[in-house]
Amino acid sequence: MAAGKRDYYEALGIDRNASADDIKAAYRKAAMKWHPDRWVGGTDAEKKTAEEKFKEASEAYSILSDPDKKAKYDQFGFAGVDGQGAPDFSGGFGSLDDLLKNIFGGGFGGFSFGNAGFGGSPFGSSSGSSQRVYKGRDIRTRVRLTLDEIASGCEKQVTIERNIPCPDCDGKGTRNSSDIKTCPRCHGTGNIQQTVNSLFGRTVTYTTCPQCGGEGKTISNPCRSCSGTGLVRKRQTVNVKIPAGVEDGMQLTVRGEGHAGQHGGISGDLFVVIEEIPHANLVRDGQNLFYTQVVSVMDAMLGGEISVPCLDGNYKVKLDPGTQSGTVVKLRGKGLPAVSGYGSGRGDMYVKILVWIPRKLSSSQKQLFNSMRGEGEFTPNPNRDDKAIFEKEKKIF
Ligand SMILES: [Zn+2]
Ligand SMILES: [Zn+2]
């Protein structure tokens, strides 16, 4: 085994009999957490850690997702797959979106909305060689969602400040079309050509025209509202459709809802980063939900019914007589849906039962329990039917 290298299963946080789906899900989780895209704003140390963790998970996944390599690894360890593990990241890590798309095979469809936002004809198409198309800048914003909104999907309004075509000049930069003239310096090409003759021959270089800034046109009487830029800043509200099942940190792209491009160019995109508001009672892990329910000694001993707050309303769960503290009840399909294109089905909800032991008892209660103290049913006994519990507890300590 290579020195200091972590076991592939351990690296992905799964056990040896994990299914192909489990392996995929574990890698997805690791990528969501450690992909360099998620740490752009981190410190150098954080970036380095994330990169290492991501590489480690990617290597583990490349082996464990391949049945042949997995079998060799299971049998011979690192020696069985020597040198086949590490994916080549010399050309960069690629984007997280692309990666998720590759693992899950789904389209990007669920994440892109809106129109391409081409507004009018690109400026310069009539001026010969200058085919400059202006693209507006992208905008990044955040949206906060409750778990309920995430479970069902929703529509959110986000307010952003963005450049839009100036309404006073229609984005042209001047009210009068006759005030737009072909630049006399570059004759509309936007470039200045310079030819230098030297010992080594003739060299032709092109530089951006300083008079028109490369636009090929000059405006003699600029619009006052936009100072001739053709754009003004405005606070606007955009409706964003959020698909069900999104996770904290995911980014949705709304095409064409960023800043408008100059001179009728293409609008940039709006990126909406998901922020999940923690739920008061439920804890989320991927598509699964976790909930802890504390029950009375009587309910645990005699059995009963508890009400569990699921995302689609309260759900009644039957407690068997003799339910042990720490018992986990699985409610199939009561978790969250997968984001369309990134998986399928619904996750599950896990309810952990804890038994509440009263801290204070009245003297008559004490007497009652004391009278039962010696009785066999109340004495823990590993050789009886509770064997599984004793085994489990041993493993924890
Ligand atoms: Zn204007
Ligand atoms: Zn010019």
Side-chain angles (χ1 to χ4, degrees):
M1 190 202 275
K5 207 161 160 178
R6 271 214 296 173
D7 171 65
Y8 287 147
Y9 290 96
E10 202 185 308
L12 288 178
I14 48 179
D15 59 44
R16 295 201 156 247
N17 36 38
S19 68
D21 282 347
D22 293 341
I23 294 168
K24 212 181 245 189
Y27 180 47
R28 176 176 185 276
K29 203 171 141 188
M32 287 288 294
K33 184 161 183 196
W34 299 116
H35 190 283
D37 275 8
R38 304 294 297 265
W39 294 87
V40 186
T43 63
D44 284 350
E46 283 170 344
K47 281 182 188 165
K48 193 162 173 272
T49 309
E51 209 175 293
E52 279 162 9
K53 296 262 191 197
F54 178 65
K55 279 184 180 166
E56 184 185 61
S58 301
E59 179 174 335
Y61 179 70
S62 79
I63 296 296
L64 299 183
S65 61
D66 180 321
D68 198 43
K69 289 180 187 168
K70 180 176 183 295
K72 286 199 181 110
Y73 178 70
D74 286 345
Q75 201 174 354
F76 305 110
F78 289 110
V81 290
D82 198 25
Q84 296 179 41
D88 181 19
F89 287 121
S90 58
F93 290 102
S95 86
L96 179 58
D97 280 332
D98 285 345
L99 174 73
L100 294 176
K101 220 186 338 175
N102 288 340
I103 309 175
F104 294 94
F108 204 55
F111 279 82
S112 302
F113 317 93
N115 303 313
F118 288 87
S121 59
F123 182 80
S125 56
S126 60
S127 63
S129 64
S130 176
Q131 289 290 329
R132 205 159 159 179
V133 176
Y134 294 88
K135 184 164 190 290
R137 279 177 295 125
D138 300 326
I139 297 173
R140 179 169 271 120
T141 188
R142 307 183 76 88
V143 65
R144 282 166 63 79
L145 301 171
T146 65
L147 213 44
D148 294 275
E149 288 172 319
I150 288 171
S152 54
C154 60
E155 198 161 315
K156 279 268 158 182
Q157 296 195 318
V158 297
T159 302
I160 47 172
E161 245 185 54
R162 63 179 169 186
N163 295 334
I164 59 161
C166 171
D168 290 336
C169 64
D170 252 352
K172 290 196 291 285
T174 177
R175 285 175 197 236
N176 237 323
S177 296
S178 60
D179 287 333
I180 305 174
K181 298 242 162 58
T182 300
C183 173
R185 177 105 183 246
C186 64
H187 310 289
T189 62
N191 297 314
I192 305 281
Q193 183 186 331
Q194 280 174 315
T195 311
V196 181
N197 288 308
S198 73
L199 272 171
F200 308 105
R202 220 162 77 112
T203 319
V204 180
T205 57
Y206 292 92
T207 51
T208 303
C209 170
Q211 189 165 338
C212 63
E215 290 177 18
K217 301 200 171 187
T218 55
I219 291 167
S220 52
N221 190 13
C223 163
R224 285 189 182 185
S225 310
C226 63
S227 319
T229 61
L231 295 173
V232 288
R233 198 119 173 133
K234 213 171 172 210
R235 238 176 129 72
Q236 289 191 320
T237 300
V238 179
N239 277 332
V240 182
K241 249 171 111 173
I242 316 274
V246 290
E247 277 179 53
D248 194 82
M250 271 186 181
Q251 181 175 287
L252 308 178
T253 305
V254 192
R255 297 249 177 264
E257 294 288 357
H259 290 291
Q262 251 182 316
H263 310 294
I266 304 166
S267 294
D269 298 329
L270 173 64
F271 298 125
V272 182
V273 179
I274 304 295
E275 211 176 292
E276 183 180 315
I277 302 168
H279 193 277
N281 302 313
L282 303 176
V283 175
R284 173 189 191 175
D285 183 25
Q287 282 179 254
N288 295 329
L289 294 171
F290 296 84
Y291 176 71
T292 304
Q293 173 85 50
V294 183
V295 302
S296 73
V297 180
M298 314 310 162
D299 284 347
M301 283 194 299
L302 305 172
E305 200 178 61
I306 54 168
S307 178
V308 177
C310 292
L311 289 174
D312 54 357
N314 285 350
Y315 193 76
K316 296 244 184 295
V317 175
K318 223 184 118 234
L319 274 191
D320 291 330
T323 294
Q324 299 294 334
S325 197
T327 299
V328 175
V329 182
K330 178 175 173 180
L331 305 182
R332 198 172 282 280
K334 289 283 170 192
L336 293 158
V339 183
S340 76
Y342 284 74
S344 61
R346 274 189 99 92
D348 304 312
M349 178 146 158
Y350 294 88
V351 181
K352 186 172 191 174
I353 309 290
L354 293 181
V355 178
W356 165 252
I357 309 290
R359 291 223 165 85
K360 267 187 185 165
L361 294 174
S362 70
S363 55
S364 60
Q365 287 165 339
K366 267 186 210 164
Q367 227 171 19
L368 180 66
F369 281 108
N370 244 328
S371 71
M372 295 185 285
R373 199 167 215 164
E375 291 174 19
E377 291 84 354
F378 287 89
T379 311
N381 183 352
N383 295 321
R384 221 169 34 204
D385 45 359
D386 308 305
K387 215 168 188 166
I389 290 181
F390 290 93
E391 287 302 313
K392 213 191 294 171
E393 298 303 320
K394 250 192 281 170
K395 256 184 239 160
I396 295 168
F397 292 107

